[in-house]
Amino acid sequence: MSDAKPSDLTKLTIAGARDMLSSGEISARELAQAHIAAVDAADPLNAYIVKTPEKALAMADAADARLKAGNAAPMTGIPIGVKDLFATEGVRTTACSHILSGFEPAYESTVTQNLWDAGAVMLGKLNMDEFAMGSSNETSHYGPVKNPWRATGSNSDYVPGGSSGGSVASVAGYAAMGATASDTGGSIRQPAAFTGTVGVKPTYGRCSRYGMVAFASSLDQAGPVTRTVRDSAIMLGAMAGYDPKDSTSVDRSVPDFEAALTGDIRGLKIGIPQEYHLAGMPVEIETLWHQGIDWLKAAGAEIVDINLPHTKYALPTYYIVAPAEASSNLARYDGVRYGLRDVPQGGGLADMYETTRGQGFGPEVKRRVMIGTYVLSAGYYDAYYLKAQKVRQLIADDFRRAYEKVDAILTPTAPSAAFAFGDKSDDPIAMYLNDVFTVPASLAGLPGSSVPAGLDADGLPLGLQILGRAWDEETVLKVSGVLEEAAGFTARPQDWWRA
Ligand code: GLN
């Protein structure tokens, strides 16, 4: 049963809105209108870089017709934002890089097409770190996204995390009911933790990469950001599925993720990796992790200490593998095929490449291209890239052995809460350290979530991460649901940006 119609439709959950849409208490058009206004009101967050209100209304009308005809799907009429990494037919798609300025794809990504086929309503394209490289959304060509959350009693702005900064800020700031995001080394989970939202990175191969601007193809995976675990289960169900157009997408049926939310984790074994106790980690994060252990224990899970011995090599391995793949993927931006073209007076082809790439890429992207080119070059390939590939296998083996003993793993999502703008942007290593807990599962291709679990002393949200076996998003979601319920996280940001 749904509640009485709330005064602000943007505060509904996807599950709640779905019920009210199907009972006819609200229309998809009303819901879209409320969100179009909320998108405008959220301008100070800089979460949207393209707004598509006419499209939203047309899609909402189609959703209303579908609801009336009685053939609605779970996402029918639900307004969402799309990370600018997903190609959207006829709608500017730039991965927030200047080099893709003005690029309008002639085709739609499979993940977004799946969502539109399920009846979802598109509000616009969401800001992100350039080519998804970053942990703070400070590398976007369109400027940083602001975290809707501020420290208690403060007027200063914090980063929303990255690279899916626009996705999490729009959802936390009630300017979308859910958003697509992508995670290569943590870009769904870390920003979700920084904004009190839920993010799910599925198993590599669960969602099609067709039409997703490639960063590091062996790691990139799409997933949802929402305000509740149930909403993530609903949205992931609509996004996922085999796609012959992506040779790494896997032909497995998509389970009913929502049905996995039984709330019953009695007898499940939850692993606590000892290597994730980092020296120097804020005590609040350790405390929250222990709290999470207690919550799961109280719900009937069995807590098991485990070892993931190669954890300390995960970050250096990721920061070789990901830039290597990025340097190769980004070679296609040469001024010929997409977006920007810059040719100096009287210059030849090589000058065009150089000027276009020099003008088109930001400093972080250039750094990755240089690192990647270096580790792949003759003479260094064996020492760096090949070694990293071998260590990647050892990290995957660690998880395989652990999952012989446990069903899921509980860790903090990130080693800190959201930080202030500029805090780490001059220090790439400090920025990369943000990914310490998310990168290992990415290298192993395993599913994981981040669930909002508490606030730090400054009133900023903190998340806990649940990892699972390959293809077992159901257990990840089930444990996430229990954690969400136990944490009872109801805090929300003050909506200063609407003032
Ligand atoms: N922060 C990591 C990086 O900068 C992860 C990014 C991502 O998952 N897309 O590479």
Side-chain angles (χ1 to χ4, degrees):
M1 265 314 287
S2 43
D3 305 333
K5 189 158 161 174
S7 56
D8 185 353
L9 297 181
T10 64
K11 302 272 163 83
L12 290 170
T13 60
I14 292 176
R18 175 186 60 185
D19 293 349
M20 295 176 89
L21 285 163
S22 67
S23 67
E25 281 163 271
I26 58 171
S27 69
R29 176 166 263 266
E30 279 182 277
L31 194 59
Q33 277 164 336
H35 279 88
I36 290 166
V39 167
D40 285 337
D43 278 346
L45 298 176
N46 199 26
Y48 281 89
I49 58 158
V50 175
K51 300 176 187 177
T52 55
E54 294 87 15
K55 215 176 172 70
L57 289 176
M59 289 170 112
D61 289 344
D64 278 328
R66 197 165 156 177
L67 284 154
K68 206 166 275 164
N71 61 356
M75 289 294 290
T76 301
I78 304 297
I80 59 166
V82 175
K83 186 176 181 178
D84 198 36
L85 193 83
F86 295 84
T88 40
E89 189 179 346
V91 177
R92 201 176 77 206
T93 300
T94 66
C96 289
S97 179
H98 183 38
I99 209 156
L100 277 169
S101 283
F103 176 59
E104 286 189 6
Y107 61 97
E108 188 77 25
S109 85
T110 297
V111 158
T112 47
Q113 188 61 53
N114 287 347
L115 285 161
W116 313 145
D117 289 348
V121 168
M122 177 176 174
L123 294 168
K125 300 298 289 285
L126 295 164
N127 205 339
M128 57 182 278
D129 277 302
E130 184 179 3
F131 283 110
M133 298 174 191
S135 302
S136 64
N137 215 120
E138 290 171 289
T139 74
S140 167
H141 177 61
Y142 300 98
V145 173
K146 290 181 183 171
N147 195 327
W149 291 81
R150 284 174 166 175
T152 319
S154 145
N155 287 331
S156 354
D157 292 324
Y158 286 79
V159 304
S163 64
S164 310
S167 305
V168 293
S170 63
V171 172
Y174 297 104
M177 303 194 96
T180 69
S182 70
D183 191 309
T184 303
S187 280
I188 293 177
R189 293 162 285 162
Q190 181 257 19
F194 278 18
T195 53
T197 53
V198 176
V200 179
K201 179 201 102 74
T203 312
Y204 182 80
R206 176 66 88 184
C207 289
S208 170
R209 289 185 301 107
Y210 178 78
M212 260 171 81
V213 177
F215 163 12
S217 307
S218 76
L219 295 157
D220 298 343
Q221 184 56 212
V225 171
T226 58
R227 291 188 290 264
T228 69
V229 173
R230 180 171 300 276
D231 287 0
S232 269
I234 295 169
M235 191 164 162
L236 177 60
M239 294 167 72
Y242 172 62
D243 177 14
K245 288 191 284 214
D246 168 11
S247 60
T248 59
S249 125
V250 175
D251 193 359
R252 292 175 81 105
S253 59
V254 179
D256 180 347
F257 293 124
E258 209 183 345
L261 304 178
T262 59
D264 183 4
I265 58 162
R266 282 171 302 173
L268 268 192
K269 295 197 174 69
I270 309 288
I272 308 300
Q274 297 310 298
E275 292 78 4
Y276 283 50
H277 290 288
L278 291 188
M281 189 156 75
V283 61
E284 290 164 300
I285 303 235
E286 274 287 341
T287 308
L288 185 75
W289 192 10
H290 285 290
Q291 176 72 258
I293 293 171
D294 289 343
W295 284 328
L296 296 183
K297 211 188 278 178
E302 188 186 324
I303 304 298
V304 183
D305 282 342
I306 56 164
N307 289 102
L308 297 168
H310 297 92
T311 298
K312 65 170 178 286
Y313 303 115
L315 264 186
T317 301
Y318 172 84
Y319 278 99
I320 290 173
V321 172
E325 294 185 22
S327 70
S328 161
N329 273 324
L330 270 55
R332 73 188 66 171
Y333 304 106
D334 54 7
V336 177
R337 283 166 280 203
Y338 319 86
L340 195 69
R341 170 176 301 172
D342 210 327
V343 198
Q345 269 284 311
L349 186 67
D351 300 307
M352 182 187 74
Y353 291 162
E354 222 176 280
T355 321
T356 303
R357 289 169 69 83
Q359 301 292 322
F361 290 142
E364 182 60 27
V365 173
K366 285 180 184 161
R367 178 165 26 243
R368 307 274 179 124
V369 170
M370 285 190 277
I371 295 172
T373 308
Y374 180 81
V375 300
L376 289 175
S377 57
Y380 297 102
Y381 182 92
D382 288 3
Y384 292 105
Y385 186 68
L386 197 64
K387 181 73 83 40
Q389 293 287 41
K390 290 178 180 167
V391 179
R392 182 177 188 178
Q393 186 58 50
L394 294 174
I395 290 163
D397 289 345
D398 281 355
F399 279 107
R400 193 180 39 73
R401 270 189 288 271
Y403 286 126
E404 286 166 8
K405 286 191 255 168
V406 299
D407 302 296
I409 293 173
L410 176 74
T411 80
T413 308
S416 74
F419 42 90
F421 285 104
D423 253 18
K424 299 183 202 275
S425 47
D426 294 334
D427 183 352
I429 305 282
M431 190 67 90
Y432 299 168
L433 282 172
N434 257 281
D435 307 329
V436 63
F437 298 136
T438 48
V439 146
S442 298
L443 288 165
L446 301 173
S449 69
S450 179
V451 179
L455 297 176
D456 75 358
D458 297 325
L460 295 171
L462 299 172
L464 288 171
Q465 173 177 242
I466 309 288
L467 301 174
R469 295 189 179 98
W471 307 108
D472 194 10
E473 288 86 357
E474 288 162 285
T475 298
V476 171
L477 287 162
K478 187 197 301 204
V479 178
S480 299
V482 169
L483 205 58
E484 175 184 57
E485 172 94 23
F489 185 90
T490 51
R492 286 296 160 202
Q494 300 294 319
D495 54 1
W496 53 266
W497 62 91
R498 289 190 187 192

